[in-house]
Structure formats: C-alpha cells, structure tokens
Amino acid sequence: MEHIDYNSDWRRVASTIYKKPTDSKIYGMVELDVTDIEKYIAKKRKEGLKTTLTYIITLIIGRAIRNEVPELNTFVKGSKIAQRKQVDGVVSVLLAGGEMGSVKVENADQRTIQEVTDEIAEHIRQSRKGNERDEMQSKNMLARVPWPFRKWLFRLYRVLTIDWGISLPGIGLDSNSFGSYVVSNIGTVGLDTGYGSLLPSSNVSLVMILGSIQNKPAVVNGEIVPRRIMLLSATLDHRVVDGSHGGRLFRHIKYLLKNPHLLEEKPDENLAKF
C-alpha cells in the first residue's frame, strides 16, 4: 500500500489543541437501503448461518478500514498519531438483566461472515454465563472502589494505558483493550437513531451506531417503491481523521452492503495490511 503520513501538520496541531476526546468529535449519518441485505441475511439463516445485520456491519467496517480508510486504525499517543498493529472491532451486546456487555473481534478485517458470526455468538454465550472479558471485569472492579478513590484510580489507569501506552496485563488492560472501533445497535432497543460517545478511557476513534429499520418510499430505477431504510450514524475523533474520511467510510460500507458475497471469503492479500 502507499505510504500514509499519519503525523501531518494538521494532525500534530489537532492532537495539541483538542482534549481527549471531549471537544474533538465529528458526527455523520446516512440512510442505508437494507432491503437487499435483509434478504441476503434471511437466505443465509435458512442455510444455517445465524448472522445479523450488526455482525455484518462489524465485518464491513473492518474491511473498510483495511481497504479504504486505514487512518481510522490510529490513535493519539502523546503528541503523535500512532498506528495500531491490527484491526479489532468491539460489538456492544445486551446481556441478561438488561446489562450492556461487549465482544471483541480481533483482526476483524481478515474475517469472513461465518467466522465473525461464530465468534460473536460464542462470546455472547460465555458472557451470559458470567464469563466476561477482561475489560468488562475491570469495569466491575472499578465500580466497587469507594468514591473518590474510584476517580483517582481511573485517572491513573488512563495516564498509564492511554497517555503513556503502558500495558497492565494483570487486569487485562492496555492501549488497545477497546479495539479499533465500536459498533452498537440501538435500533433493537427501540431508538430510531443516536450518536455514540468516544469513551475517554479508550483510544477508539470511531463509534458506529445502527438505528431502527423502517419502511420508507425510495426511488429505484426511476420509480418510487417501498424500501427498508436504516439510519447509520458515526462519531469520529477529529484529532486523527476529518470529515472526508467519514465520507470514504460510508461509501465503502454502501459498496460492501451491495456486494455481501465479498465478505464470504478472506480479503485479497494484495490489499492493505496492518
């Protein structure tokens, strides 16, 4: 792949003038026609692959970062933009009792639909048995620390792992604990749309939110027809990317949604690699 200067003059300035990431957010939203991908999912489920639109979007974002927007696989470390060694996706899932959990898919850009579906399903089964991943267990530990010691401990963790890039293997936390991006489907809990937060304790530069799917009129081949439309929104860290990167991301998402067969095989090894 061609060389990309992650530390351009603007990136250096942005990482200086913005705090992490409290005032450096970019928001974007598109309407996606998911009529055909829903039919594709229904066909796959009849064939025995119990996949979902959330799983497919998670895989698509990984491929988009690999093929089109590698700048999203970076984070701010000190005054510089650092590139991650691999593309990892984190999916928010609803556990028993309404508790929110998460599943981390490592090397999400290299997976197939079958692999992503199987891995997420297995992690959900384990989480519902009480076997949460290290990051979620650390959250539970932090919640039990008395105030104000809890706030001091959190600040210490953030300085060590986020600011200084030090790993804490004893509690399963490091600068890559929360992956390269986060995907959450709020449409399943009754919300039409929304924007995700860039968690201050993570280095995530992209949070993608799937909204509700509704029947709406759309123009197809010059005719107005009913289609299934979903709102897809993104929150991006302006310190590492600009609006143009969001545009490239959305375009590639639309392309892969129209060509889901490309996700059934491993990606072309000649394309970008991390």
Side-chain angles (χ1 to χ4, degrees):
M1 63 179 288
E2 62 177 314
H3 172 72
I4 298 176
D5 181 11
Y6 294 111
N7 288 281
S8 63
D9 289 345
W10 166 241
R11 296 274 80 87
R12 291 177 185 273
V13 171
S15 65
T16 302
I17 64 177
Y18 289 131
K19 298 178 182 178
K20 175 172 180 67
T22 56
D23 54 1
S24 61
K25 303 181 186 72
I26 299 175
Y27 299 104
M29 180 185 295
V30 294
E31 286 190 343
L32 290 181
D33 187 335
V34 296
T35 308
D36 293 335
I37 194 66
E38 282 192 324
K39 293 177 181 177
Y40 173 85
I41 291 172
K43 176 176 176 291
K44 287 299 176 182
R45 293 180 72 88
K46 288 182 179 179
E47 295 173 356
L49 179 58
K50 305 301 182 183
T51 194
T52 69
L53 184 56
T54 302
Y55 300 173
I56 290 178
I57 291 290
T58 301
L59 175 57
I60 285 176
I61 295 173
R63 293 283 185 95
I65 291 175
R66 176 190 180 93
N67 301 342
E68 188 66 27
V69 202
E71 294 90 343
L72 282 170
N73 202 42
T74 62
F75 62 96
V76 176
K77 185 176 181 180
S79 62
K80 294 184 177 181
I81 308 300
Q83 183 181 12
R84 300 183 190 278
K85 295 180 180 180
Q86 60 189 50
V87 181
D88 298 334
V90 171
V91 186
S92 296
V93 296
L94 192 63
L95 305 177
E99 180 75 10
M100 290 301 298
S102 63
V103 173
K104 186 176 182 179
V105 181
E106 295 191 4
N107 296 303
D109 61 315
Q110 302 175 32
R111 304 302 189 95
T112 65
I113 292 179
Q114 180 76 59
E115 291 173 341
V116 167
T117 299
D118 291 345
E119 180 165 348
I120 295 177
E122 178 58 27
H123 277 295
I124 291 175
R125 282 192 291 269
Q126 293 299 323
S127 294
R128 288 174 176 169
K129 291 179 181 179
N131 302 324
E132 269 285 17
R133 66 193 191 93
D134 291 341
E135 294 81 0
M136 298 305 294
Q137 292 177 3
S138 300
K139 176 199 68 176
N140 297 334
M141 291 171 55
L142 181 63
R144 290 193 289 269
V145 175
W147 181 267
F149 303 107
R150 186 189 319 145
K151 188 173 184 179
W152 297 341
L153 184 61
F154 173 77
R155 286 177 176 172
L156 177 61
Y157 149 70
R158 186 169 61 184
V159 169
L160 291 175
T161 63
I162 304 303
D163 296 339
W164 295 354
I166 298 175
S167 297
L168 303 174
I171 56 175
L173 291 174
D174 57 39
S175 56
N176 289 303
S177 294
F178 297 89
S180 307
Y181 61 94
V182 175
V183 178
S184 182
N185 189 340
I186 64 173
T188 59
V189 295
L191 296 174
D192 290 339
T193 189
Y195 289 100
S197 61
L198 295 176
L199 187 64
S201 59
S202 76
N203 281 322
V204 174
S205 59
L206 166 66
V207 177
M208 189 71 73
I209 300 294
L210 284 68
S212 64
I213 301 176
Q214 301 177 2
N215 294 318
K216 291 186 176 182
V219 178
V220 179
N221 297 324
E223 296 183 356
I224 299 178
V225 295
R227 302 290 286 183
R228 300 277 287 165
I229 305 297
M230 180 185 76
L231 292 174
L232 182 67
S233 67
T235 305
L236 303 102
D237 188 346
H238 196 13
R239 298 176 304 165
V240 300
V241 294
D242 300 317
S244 61
H245 299 101
R248 286 158 53 192
L249 172 67
F250 281 132
R251 284 195 296 272
H252 205 68
I253 289 173
K254 291 179 179 179
Y255 170 74
L256 288 176
L257 280 176
K258 292 180 179 178
N259 298 276
H261 63 278
L262 298 175
L263 305 173
E264 297 178 15
E265 304 293 337
K266 295 285 189 179
D268 188 342
E269 291 298 325
N270 294 322
L271 293 177
K273 296 174 66 176
F274 295 92

